[in-house]
Structures are given as structure tokens and as C-alpha cells.
């Protein structure tokens, strides 16, 4: 049975979740596992450019008094350093992708890259931005990914709602501006030099409200899929500062670019406001680690996006049964 047909989503059952993992403002988290330790990096909250935390087990987290990116790339004015992601290349080098304001167009967010020999940094930034489509609204929410053959990619959102026509997240009034998720192949040697043109793998539709954003990509073995892999793209939709913000996913059984077509979205989101006995409000920005076992995401403290707290857990993606399960501190939230 093809995973793309069997995978669907329904509201999460009401099961207790112990959380959040970090109570302070830690939005847009990403996760990477190195040497048995877990590391998370977050959007700037007025302190370090890229704050971070560590965990010995993926459950108990400790914030570090450390800036992983003390100097932002020369292309940026060092403002609005958001949504970092860290990957490790086959060579052992770590690459940190991040969003920041473009110095030449200060109202536009673009994406930069920085490298380090250590997962905690400090990371040395590249002078030029990695992705900066100013005429389309800029770019944000980078997410690195390594395919089964070592090919390296970066997924990101084109920030079209920044040049929208007003309303919800500035893109709630027609004509709606596209906010596509793009996939860019990059050099496996340095992790940031583009190879060819970026390919669209997702965009918003009416059910997504003004946007889709926060991509995170993982591959799962599936003998029924082309090449033996199903690709699962987690993403968020709707506006981050409201109750409709959610975490969803889309799948491809036809290679990482889905044969040049958008991934197929699930029938309903994975995490929504009210999930798990109303413990989660506006859950989004989910990131999954490269082995597809651990996730982090944020949810609002109370009903305000002023403080977005990190939640952490494990995930199981079963291509045979078409089930996605998220487990946090001993409890399971299943989507079948």
C-alpha cells in the first residue's frame, strides 16, 4: 500500500503531555544529535543572536549562556536573527543556516550560512547571503537535509506574505501572494554553495490561510516508494500569532522533488490549538532530527505569542500502517 494514500491525519486524542521542555521564550527551535547529546537552537529573543540548549536524553533541557553565532554575516544588519537550523556534513563540518534582515533592504528577511568544526560553534558566517529573493518578499526558515546518497539540500520558505496586501499575517486579502517552500541542492563539500535552481515542493492553499512556513524534511524507508524512500515534509500554516497556527505535513513517494510537483498534504494538521486536553496553543515550527526519531516545536505560553516555549519529544512514522505518532515524556499523540 502506498504511504501517500494511507497517511492521513485526524485531531489528536486527548492524552496528557508533560511540558514544555523549556519555559522561557524559545521560538522556532531546531534539533541535532551529536555523540549522544541533543542540541537545540532558537530564534533570537533580545540576547544572543542564536541561543541554544543541550540535553542528555532529548527530554531534559538546559539553556546555555552562549551565542552560537556571535557575528552575523556582512550581508545583514544583524537584526531579526530568526529560525536557525544546524546540520553536520559528511566531512564532519557543521553548517548553521539562519534568517536575518538584509542590510541593503532592511524590511526584507534573507538566509545566511555559517560553519564551525564544533556543533556549539562559534560559527563563522559567510559574507554573502544564501537565499535572498527580494522581489518575492525574501526568504526565511531554512532547514538543511542530507539524502541517502549524501546529496545535501536546504529547504526554505519564500516570504511572500511580507509583500502581501494586508490582513492576516499581511496576506489575508486577495490577491494572495505565494509563500512556497523551496528546495535547493547545495554543495556537499561546504553545505551552502547552490547547485542548480531551487525547486518548489509546496505552497499555501485556502486551508493554510495566509502562508506555509517552517519546513523540516525527513526520509523514511518504504519499499513501495520510488527509490525506496518516502519523504515527509513537516510545515506550519496560518499566522504564528493566532489560534489557527498549526503543524502539518506533506509526503512524496516520488523522490525528494516529487517529480517536480508539490508534495501531497495530509488531510488535516498534526498539531493544532487544543491538542492534548487544550495543553497546546498555536503549536508550530516543528523540527525533526536527521534520523527521524526526535522532534522539537514551540507553542504559546497561555494565548500570547510573546512567549513561545519549546516542547520536545520523539516521533514514529510507520509507512505500513500510515501512522504518525509523537511521544512527549511518556505520552503518545498519534495521528492515523
Amino acid at each position: 500500500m502506498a504511504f501517500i494514500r494511507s497517511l492521513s491525519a485526524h485531531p489528536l486524542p486527548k492524552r496528557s503531555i508533560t511540558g514544555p521542555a523549556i519555559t522561557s521564550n524559545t521560538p522556532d527551535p531546531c534539533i541535532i544529535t551529536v555523540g549522544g547529546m541533543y542540541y537545540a537552537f532558537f530564534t533570537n529573543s533580545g540576547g544572543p543572536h542564536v541561543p541554544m540548549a543541550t540535553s542528555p536524553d532529548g527530554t531534559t533541557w538546559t539553556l546555555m549562556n552562549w551565542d552560537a553565532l556571535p557575528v552575523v554575516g556582512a550581508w545583514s544588519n544583524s537584526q531579526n536573527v530568526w529560525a536557525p537550523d544546524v546540520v553536520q556534513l559528511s566531512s564532519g563540518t557543521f553548517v548553521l543556516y539562519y534568517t536575518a534582515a538584509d542590510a541593503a533592504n532592511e524590511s526584507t528577511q534573507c538566509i545566511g550560512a555559517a560553519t564551525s568544526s564544533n556543533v556549539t560553534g562559534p560559527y563563522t558566517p559567510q559574507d554573502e547571503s544564501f537565499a535572498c529573493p527580494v522581489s518575492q518578499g525574501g526568504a526565511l526558515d531554512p532547514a538543511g537535509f542530507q539524502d541517502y546518497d549524501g546529496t545535501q539540500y536546504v529547504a526554505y520558505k519564500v516570504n511572500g506574505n511580507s509583500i502581501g496586501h494586508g490582513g492576516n499575517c499581511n496576506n489575508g486579502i486577495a490577491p494572495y501572494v505565494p509563500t512556497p517552500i523551496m528546495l535547493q541542492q547545495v554543495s556537499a563539500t561546504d553545505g551552502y554553495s547552490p547547485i542548480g535552481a531551487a525547486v518548489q515542493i509546496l505552497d499555501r492553499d485556502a486551508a493554510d490561510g495566509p502562508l506555509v512556513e517552517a519546513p523540516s524534511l525527513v526520509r523514511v524507508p518504504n519499499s513501495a516508494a520510488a527509490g525506496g524512500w518516502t519523504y515527509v515534509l513537516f510545515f506550519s500554516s496560518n499566522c504564528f500569532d493566532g489560534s489557527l497556527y498549526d503543524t502539518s505535513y506533506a509526503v512524496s513517494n516520488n523522490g525528494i522533488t516529487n517529480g517536480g510537483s508539490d508534495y501531497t498534504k495530509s488531510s488535516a494538521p498534526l498539531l493544532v490549538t487544543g491538542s492534548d486536553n487544550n495543553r497546546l496553543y498555536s503549536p508550530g515550527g516543528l523540527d525533526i532530527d536527521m534520523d527521524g526519531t526526535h522532534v522539537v516545536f514551540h507553542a504559546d505560553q497561555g494565548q500570547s505569542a510573546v512567549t513561545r516555549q519549546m516542547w520536545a519529544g520523539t516521533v514514529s512514522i510507520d509507512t505500513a500502517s500510515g501512522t504518525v505518532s509523537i511521544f512527549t515524556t511518556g505520552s503518545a499523540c498519534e495521528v492515523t
Side-chain angles (χ1 to χ4, degrees):
M1 178 170 58
F3 185 64
I4 204 166
R5 294 192 180 98
S6 65
L7 185 64
S8 59
H10 303 294
L12 295 174
K14 294 181 177 179
R15 303 183 183 182
S16 175
I17 295 178
T18 302
I22 300 177
T23 57
S24 59
N25 192 36
T26 44
D28 307 317
C30 75
I31 185 171
I32 184 173
T33 308
V34 181
M37 286 289 291
Y38 300 85
Y39 301 85
F41 302 78
F42 319 101
T43 280
N44 172 284
S45 297
H49 291 131
V50 177
M52 61 178 298
T54 62
S55 171
D57 55 13
T59 300
T60 304
W61 291 84
T62 301
L63 284 168
M64 296 179 65
N65 184 22
W66 178 252
D67 190 345
L69 184 69
V71 178
V72 180
W75 60 270
S76 171
N77 64 4
S78 300
Q79 300 300 306
N80 300 331
V81 183
W82 296 347
D85 191 58
V86 174
V87 298
Q88 186 175 23
L89 305 179
S90 297
S91 65
T93 297
F94 294 91
V95 184
L96 182 147
Y97 308 102
Y98 62 97
T99 305
D102 183 39
N105 304 275
E106 294 188 352
S107 62
T108 301
Q109 297 286 99
C110 295
I111 294 170
T115 59
S116 174
S117 60
N118 191 308
V119 64
T120 60
Y123 286 82
T124 302
Q126 297 300 303
D127 289 339
E128 302 295 327
S129 61
F130 165 76
C132 195
V134 174
S135 65
Q136 297 173 274
L140 45 73
D141 293 347
F145 177 77
Q146 187 181 76
D147 211 353
Y148 66 92
D149 60 358
T151 306
Q152 207 75 33
Y153 296 89
V154 180
Y156 62 89
K157 171 204 174 183
V158 173
N159 198 28
N161 54 293
S162 70
I163 55 172
H165 302 95
N168 192 23
C169 258
N170 199 45
N171 202 26
I173 298 174
Y176 306 110
V177 180
T179 63
I181 303 299
M182 307 299 291
L183 186 69
Q184 174 67 65
Q185 183 180 347
V186 295
S187 165
T189 301
D190 63 30
Y192 54 80
S193 295
I195 298 175
V199 177
Q200 177 179 312
I201 57 174
L202 200 75
D203 200 359
R204 61 161 299 281
D205 57 31
D208 298 309
L211 54 83
V212 290
E213 62 184 13
S216 184
L217 189 61
V218 70
R219 52 184 166 83
V220 184
N222 183 6
S223 60
W229 297 96
T230 287
Y231 295 84
V232 182
L233 176 70
F234 294 93
F235 66 95
S236 288
S237 61
N238 292 289
C239 196
F240 80 97
D241 61 354
S243 64
L244 296 179
Y245 198 60
D246 60 31
T247 294
S248 193
Y249 59 91
V251 298
S252 167
N253 277 328
N254 193 24
I256 191 169
T257 62
N258 199 34
S261 300
D262 282 4
Y263 281 36
T264 299
K265 296 174 182 175
S266 61
S267 61
L270 176 63
L271 297 171
V272 297
T273 291
S275 289
D276 200 76
N277 281 326
N278 293 314
R279 294 295 301 274
L280 297 179
Y281 188 89
S282 194
L286 181 144
D287 188 54
I288 186 168
D289 64 1
M290 287 299 295
D291 65 5
T293 60
H294 286 77
V295 297
V296 291
F297 63 93
H298 69 242
D300 291 359
Q301 181 184 49
Q303 297 184 6
S304 170
V306 171
T307 300
R308 290 173 284 170
Q309 301 169 316
M310 190 187 87
W311 297 63
T314 59
V315 64
S316 173
I317 303 171
D318 186 341
T319 61
S321 64
T323 301
V324 178
S325 303
I326 292 180
F327 301 85
T328 57
T329 317
S331 297
C333 289
E334 295 183 355
V335 175
T336 57

